[in-house]
Amino acid sequence: MRAKEDMPSCPVATTVSLIGSKWKLLIIRNLLSRPWRFNELRKDLEGISQKVLTDSLRSMEADGIVVRTVYPEAPPRVEYSLSPLGESLRPILQAMENWGAAYLERLLPDEEH
């Protein structure tokens, strides 16, 4: 985890620094449903590069948001899941989903989305 003195003093800026990228938010969205393997995430997150996915997962693991579990099998199986801290982001992503749905409804009131 980052040291407190390395974080912004503004709580909103702190949150943005931890999860504010497009890819981190989408990774968290996926991990809210279940643990995922690396290649599953890469296939599901269309457009993400292997490097960005690796860097994002490592960063979130270092920040205590994601847990990386290696299963002692041959070949080794690795899964990513949310830590309890990561799970605490659920209401934030739920609020974002609700806001996005309402916004789309305003833009496209007569169409399915």
Side-chain angles (χ1 to χ4, degrees), residues 47-83:
I48 194 169
S49 70
Q50 183 169 335
K51 180 184 182 341
V52 169
L53 180 56
T54 298
D55 291 349
S56 297
L57 287 167
R58 285 183 182 160
S59 171
M60 290 190 294
E61 183 182 9
D63 291 331
I65 295 169
V66 168
V67 175
R68 181 179 185 265
T69 305
V70 180
Y71 294 93
E73 302 171 353
R77 176 172 52 107
V78 178
E79 285 186 344
Y80 295 90
S81 59
L82 292 176
S83 68

Side-chain angles (χ1 to χ4, degrees), residues 1-9 14:
M1 286 198 173
R2 299 183 206 184
K4 188 173 184 176
E5 57 271 6
D6 295 337
M7 300 303 295
S9 60
T14 296

